[in-house]
Amino acid sequence: AQTVTQSQPEMSVQEAETVTLSCTYDTSESDYYLFWYKQPPSRQMILVIRQEAYKQQNATENRFSVNFQKAAKSFSLKISDSQLGDAAMYFCAYRSPYSGGGADGLTFGKGTHLIIQP
Amino acid sequence: NAGVTQTPKFRVLKTGQSMTLLCAQDMNHEYMYWYRQDPGMGLRLIHYSVGEGTTAKGEVPDGYNVSRLKKQNFLLGLESAAPSQTSVYFCASSAYSGRVTGELFFGEGSRLTVL
């Protein structure tokens, strides 16, 4: 079974600064998908960014980018020019493309609580 | 523009009572899921369904039952609620097109308290 580890329960960053959230995962598969979800106080789960393991290029979405290191099984999220609205829980998640047998859905890390200091 | 809708949003139960959480999606997705979220634990999969009439157990299925009688609906039942089932419950859905590749779309969550 796959596992996802987020080693930083909480991070704090000054507004307009850059912060990196860490995520490592364990899998024996070579083909998979990785996601970062944001959960603000409203509780809604919002997709931030997605990475396909077969793509070497790191995904980017505006101020959000990832550093995907497949050999190291690492998938960190970098937030540039942090804004107050970025304050939330961030979850790293893994998905196998092979459905069934318990390999379906997303496997989540325990989350990192990001605080933005004004 | 509804996406995934969960009802109810909040519920307080007494130990031993039963209840059903309803999830409805309007995106014609094949796959649907129920997760629970507890502090410091992330989201854990309770049950999931890969199509109408099918269900399967996830990581933490004990004490829950599910049904998928219609493609757009996925029901989560608690037959005899226990305080350990106090949690926030999320329903999610995803598309399937030969490979499971897409992200999950989540409902807004349902906060359940069992006294």
Side-chain angles (χ1 to χ4, degrees):
Chain A
Q2 297 83 16
T3 58
V4 178
T5 302
Q6 294 179 250
S7 58
Q8 306 152 318
E10 187 172 278
M11 293 281 287
S12 181
V13 64
Q14 293 283 346
E15 192 176 4
E17 296 293 307
T18 296
V19 63
T20 298
L21 308 184
S22 301
C23 173
T24 58
Y25 56 94
D26 187 25
T27 184
S28 59
E29 298 174 329
S30 60
D31 184 15
Y32 49 86
Y33 299 83
L34 297 166
F35 305 87
W36 279 97
Y37 277 85
K38 170 185 178 181
Q39 186 181 43
S42 67
R43 208 168 61 195
Q44 182 68 43
M45 294 289 287
I46 302 166
L47 178 67
V48 175
I49 202 165
R50 153 195 164 139
Q51 176 78 42
E52 296 157 3
Y54 64 86
K55 290 186 176 179
Q56 293 187 338
Q57 186 173 7
N58 289 326
T60 63
E61 288 288 342
N62 300 314
R63 297 182 295 107
F64 298 87
S65 62
V66 298
N67 183 6
F68 173 50
Q69 300 288 329
K70 190 173 184 179
K73 298 180 182 176
S74 170
F75 182 59
S76 61
L77 175 69
K78 185 172 82 171
I79 306 174
S80 303
D81 185 25
S82 297
Q83 300 175 359
L84 294 177
D86 294 334
M89 283 291 290
Y90 286 82
F91 291 97
C92 179
Y94 173 103
R95 185 167 200 183
S96 168
Y98 310 107
S99 69
D104 208 351
L106 293 176
T107 300
F108 287 89
K110 294 184 177 181
T112 296
H113 182 211
L114 179 62
I115 298 167
I116 310 296
Q117 304 280 3
Chain B
N1 219 24
V4 179
T5 304
Q6 295 180 226
T7 52
K9 299 289 192 296
F10 300 91
R11 183 75 186 271
V12 178
L13 288 176
K14 294 182 179 179
T15 297
Q17 287 185 318
S18 63
M19 76 157 294
T20 300
L21 293 173
L22 171 64
C23 177
Q25 53 95 3
D26 61 3
M27 297 173 283
N28 202 35
H29 285 169
E30 291 290 340
Y31 287 14
M32 296 187 74
Y33 312 87
W34 277 107
Y35 286 87
R36 61 177 288 173
Q37 182 180 18
D38 302 292
M41 298 297 292
L43 279 78
R44 293 180 292 169
L45 184 64
I46 303 171
H47 285 280
Y48 65 97
S49 169
V50 300
E52 184 178 321
T54 71
T55 63
K57 295 180 179 179
E59 179 186 357
V60 288
D62 294 343
Y64 305 95
N65 57 75
V66 289
S67 64
R68 183 105 180 262
L69 299 180
K70 294 182 178 180
K71 184 178 183 179
Q72 63 268 35
N73 296 338
F74 194 31
L75 278 62
L76 177 71
L78 285 73
E79 290 186 349
S80 180
S84 61
Q85 294 177 304
T86 293
S87 188
V88 178
Y89 292 86
F90 285 93
C91 178
S93 70
S94 72
Y96 177 71
S97 57
R99 271 169 61 84
V100 177
T101 64
E103 70 266 28
L104 269 58
F105 295 82
F106 285 86
E108 295 179 342
S110 299
R111 180 175 293 278
L112 175 65
T113 301
V114 183
L115 303 176

